[in-house]
Amino acid sequence: MESIGGVALVLFVLAMVFVFKTINVVPQQHAWVVERLGKYHATLPPGLNIVIPFVDRVAYKHILKEIPLDVPPQVCITRDNTQLQVDGILYFQITDPMRASYGSSNYIAAITQLAQTTLRSVIGKMELDKTFEERDHINTTIVNAVDESAANWGVKVLRYEIKDLTPPKEILHAMQAQITAEREKRALIAASEGRKQEQINIATGEREASIAKSEGEKQASINRAQGQAAAILAIAEASAEAIRKTAAAIQSPGGSDAVNLKVAEQYVGAFGNLAKTNNAIIVPANLGDMSGLIATAMQVVKSQKTPAVEAPRRPS
């Protein structure tokens, strides 16, 4: 009975081992490569999978997630013979588990070495200043070169990013001095441009002020001229109107007598003023014949009366 119990226990243990060897649960985003008698047989997808114990074995287990790979720093020489230490990070993903298992003995080491050699080649074609400006170009070139070769290893290279570019200390100090000089140069240029713009603004303001002043003086002169012209015209019109009224008054009854009296008064007054302003006394030659003088003056008035009367009247 004991021997039977021992055999049953052995059979139970073998059965359990057989069950565990037969049933395999593959996690999500994983792929297991199964070999049958040492030869590739199948790739187990995520989930429950059954294999034949002692005939099939899980030879490789791969993660299908995106994997970041740190590329070790290395010293690259630029086109202008400057040493530059560069390190980066590479992102890849296994797309074919069978090729990843048998395409390369160590696809991670292969990808790392290929990324480093490609990086040295790309950096060697650029000058030092361009390496800082062309990071995107460097990343794209490395991804294209590594992905082309990694396709045979069942790996898809997604992207490459440069983490740091470190030049030697002497070059770094020289670059900092150059940056400082460039900033000082830009500051001086900006200050000179400001002074230039200030002078331009002042000159423009003075020119506009001069133009405005000259325009004001011009308008003032025009206004004065128009005022003087209007005054002259008003005086002329007033004089013409006075002449017309005088002529009309002479033609009216009693006008001639009034003129005679006015002329006589002005004649006498003129001699009186003349006697006051001179040391010598001026006496008319025919002082006793005052009526003759008045008649002579009236004759002059009558000779001028006809043209005055015939003067054109201003339309009302």
Side-chain angles (χ1 to χ4, degrees):
M1 294 294 294
E2 292 180 359
S3 61
I4 295 174
V7 172
L9 180 61
V10 170
L11 292 176
F12 177 77
V13 171
L14 291 176
M16 294 300 297
V17 171
F18 184 84
V19 170
F20 281 113
K21 288 288 186 179
T22 302
I23 299 174
N24 291 270
V25 179
V26 180
Q28 182 67 31
Q29 287 295 93
H30 286 70
W32 293 359
V33 175
V34 176
E35 292 180 350
R36 176 168 292 178
L37 301 177
K39 182 180 179 182
Y40 172 75
H41 172 63
T43 300
L44 301 181
L48 182 64
N49 296 272
I50 297 176
V51 298
I52 300 175
F54 309 108
V55 177
D56 296 338
R57 77 179 184 91
V58 178
Y60 301 97
K61 295 181 178 180
H62 298 288
I63 301 174
L64 303 183
K65 300 177 183 179
E66 183 176 342
I67 301 174
L69 176 62
D70 192 10
V71 179
Q74 61 176 333
V75 176
C76 302
I77 300 177
T78 62
R79 185 178 179 181
D80 50 355
N81 296 324
T82 302
Q83 292 184 351
L84 188 66
Q85 185 173 349
V86 186
D87 62 339
I89 185 169
L90 184 71
Y91 296 87
F92 70 93
Q93 187 178 19
I94 296 175
T95 57
D96 190 340
M98 190 272 288
R99 288 190 177 185
S101 301
Y102 305 103
S104 174
S105 60
N106 189 342
Y107 62 86
I108 294 180
I111 291 174
T112 302
Q113 293 297 323
L114 185 58
Q116 288 182 320
T117 56
T118 305
L119 179 62
R120 288 195 295 269
S121 176
V122 175
I123 295 294
K125 297 177 182 179
M126 296 182 177
E127 295 182 355
L128 179 61
D129 293 339
K130 289 293 183 181
T131 58
F132 297 97
E133 301 174 1
E134 301 292 338
R135 286 198 175 194
D136 292 339
H137 173 69
I138 296 173
N139 296 338
T140 303
T141 303
I142 294 175
V143 169
N144 293 335
V146 177
D147 185 61
E148 183 178 357
S149 300
N152 297 324
W153 308 328
V155 176
K156 174 66 177 178
V157 178
L158 302 176
R159 59 186 181 276
Y160 179 85
E161 296 292 339
I162 295 177
K163 292 195 297 184
D164 194 14
L165 293 171
T166 307
K169 293 183 179 180
E170 296 79 7
I171 300 298
L172 185 60
H173 292 162
M175 293 174 63
Q176 291 176 349
Q178 182 181 4
I179 293 173
T180 303
E182 287 292 333
R183 290 179 177 176
E184 293 177 353
K185 175 182 176 182
R186 287 196 297 267
L188 292 175
I189 292 175
S192 64
E193 289 292 335
R195 290 192 296 269
K196 174 183 176 182
Q197 189 62 40
E198 179 184 4
Q199 296 298 324
I200 292 174
N201 293 339
I202 293 174
T204 302
E206 291 178 352
R207 180 174 63 86
E208 293 178 354
S210 299
I211 292 174
K213 182 178 179 181
S214 63
E215 289 292 335
E217 293 176 352
K218 174 183 176 182
Q219 189 62 39
S221 299
I222 292 174
N223 293 339
R224 285 194 298 269
Q226 290 177 350
Q228 292 174 359
I232 293 173
L233 180 61
I235 293 172
E237 290 179 351
S239 299
E241 184 65 23
I243 293 172
R244 284 192 294 268
K245 289 183 177 181
T246 301
I250 293 173
Q251 294 296 325
S252 64
S256 298
D257 297 335
V259 172
N260 293 337
L261 179 59
K262 188 66 175 179
V263 170
E265 290 176 354
Q266 291 180 351
Y267 183 81
V268 173
F271 272 102
N273 292 331
L274 184 62
K276 291 178 181 179
T277 57
N278 293 279
N279 294 327
I281 298 175
I282 300 174
V283 179
N286 51 354
L287 182 59
D289 193 4
M290 183 64 69
S291 61
L293 293 175
I294 295 175
T296 302
M298 286 303 301
Q299 187 64 31
V300 174
V301 173
K302 289 180 180 179
S303 64
Q304 298 296 327
K305 182 169 62 175
T306 302
V309 173
E310 293 177 355
R313 295 181 180 271
R314 187 178 65 172
S316 57

